[in-house]
Amino acid sequence: GAGVSQSPSNKVTEKGKDVELRCDPISGHTALYWYRQSLGQGLEFLIYFQGNSAPDKSGLPSDRFSAERTGGSVSTLTIQRTQQEDSAVYLCASKQGGSPDNEQFFGPGTRLTVL
Amino acid sequence: GDSVTQTEGPVTLPERAALTLNCTYQSSYSTFLFWYVQYLNKEPELLLKSSENQETDSRGFQASPIKSDSSFHLEKPSVQLSDSAVYYCALSRAGKSTFGDGTTLTVKP
């Protein structure tokens, strides 16, 4: 079946512009995660959605970052007034249910470059 | 809060050498443990997972959770060139997962 998809695969923007990154999780997966991976670095947790529960936003680095998940499926990560330090690969992952022993399936990521 | 600490990298090994990547974790809750692998220019994927007190084996890799010292070390008796990648240890409870910083492994001929 189809895996997690993300769009765009690459995004180049100018400092100060807003960007939207999209994630389509695996059908039926109720949990969705966003991570940021800066060059040569590990996975930085940003936000987590589980079903209809309030999202866990504890990883968002500033109020310029926000995310929503419509209809319990597609998610959009928005970065306002982008800065050069926002340049990174943004990874989305989904998981079936809220059970802790289920694995996360990652999308291919969106590479964001802020000039 | 939860935390995961991994072997500091990078790690470089010759082909057929034995591998151990250390992972220790801290959590006040019952957790599930995972190893993910990320090959160059690819997304992370599951390598293996384990619930407490059960050893898991995948692609020649093994990991056995040791509750007494909160560890989940990754081992492989003989590495191959294709094992070069970044390895992440992670714990999961409820919905949220906590990842370690990752260890870069390079296997050389």
Side-chain angles (χ1 to χ4, degrees), chain A residues 31 33 35 37 41-43 45 48 50 56 58-59 91 95 98-109 111, chain B residues 30-32 34 36 38 41-46 49 51 86 88 92-102 104:
Chain A
Y33 305 77
Y35 298 91
Q37 189 169 38
Q41 302 299 307
L43 298 169
F45 166 77
Y48 157 59
Q50 173 57 55
D56 177 347
S58 60
L91 290 163
K95 185 172 83 169
S99 179
D101 65 337
N102 290 335
E103 69 178 279
Q104 293 185 32
F105 292 84
F106 286 83
R111 183 176 299 277
Chain B
S30 178
T31 58
F32 288 86
F34 300 79
Y36 286 83
Q38 185 175 28
N41 296 323
K42 302 285 286 182
E43 64 270 26
E45 62 184 71
L46 179 70
K49 67 177 181 179
S51 57
V86 180
Y88 292 97
S92 176
R93 62 169 179 88
K96 190 174 172 182
S97 295
T98 302
F99 284 80
D101 290 338
T104 300

Side-chain angles (χ1 to χ4, degrees), chain A residues 3-4 10 15 17 21 24-27 29 36-37 48 52 56 62 68 76 84 86 97 100 109-112:
Chain A
V4 178
N10 281 283
K15 178 181 173 181
K17 301 278 188 173
L21 312 180
D24 277 278
I26 292 173
S27 178
H29 281 194
R36 179 168 69 176
Q37 189 169 38
Y48 157 59
N52 295 321
D56 177 347
S62 77
E68 63 178 22
T76 302
Q84 288 184 331
D86 299 335
T110 293
R111 183 176 299 277
L112 175 66

Side-chain angles (χ1 to χ4, degrees), chain A residues 1-38:
Chain A
V4 178
S5 61
Q6 293 186 243
S7 61
S9 55
N10 281 283
K11 177 71 177 179
V12 180
T13 190
E14 294 180 347
K15 178 181 173 181
K17 301 278 188 173
D18 297 351
V19 295
E20 285 189 351
L21 312 180
R22 177 189 169 103
C23 172
D24 277 278
I26 292 173
S27 178
H29 281 194
T30 58
L32 187 148
Y33 305 77
W34 282 98
Y35 298 91
R36 179 168 69 176
Q37 189 169 38
S38 301

Side-chain angles (χ1 to χ4, degrees), chain B residues 10-103:
Chain B
V11 173
T12 302
L13 292 173
E15 266 188 299
R16 294 179 291 280
L19 169 71
T20 298
L21 296 182
N22 292 333
C23 171
T24 57
Y25 62 94
Q26 194 166 17
S27 178
S28 302
Y29 304 89
S30 178
T31 58
F32 288 86
L33 301 162
F34 300 79
W35 278 99
Y36 286 83
V37 59
Q38 185 175 28
Y39 300 103
L40 188 63
N41 296 323
K42 302 285 286 182
E43 64 270 26
E45 62 184 71
L46 179 70
L47 178 60
L48 54 80
K49 67 177 181 179
S50 182
S51 57
E52 293 184 3
N53 301 319
Q54 287 184 328
E55 181 177 298
T56 304
D57 183 293
S58 172
R59 310 184 209 179
F61 290 87
Q62 293 179 322
S64 182
I66 308 294
K67 193 174 180 180
S68 59
D69 65 357
S70 298
S71 69
F72 190 54
H73 306 321
L74 183 68
E75 298 177 327
K76 187 173 186 181
S78 177
V79 294
Q80 304 170 343
L81 295 175
S82 58
D83 294 328
S84 294
V86 180
Y87 293 81
Y88 292 97
C89 182
L91 69 81
S92 176
R93 62 169 179 88
K96 190 174 172 182
S97 295
T98 302
F99 284 80
D101 290 338
T103 302

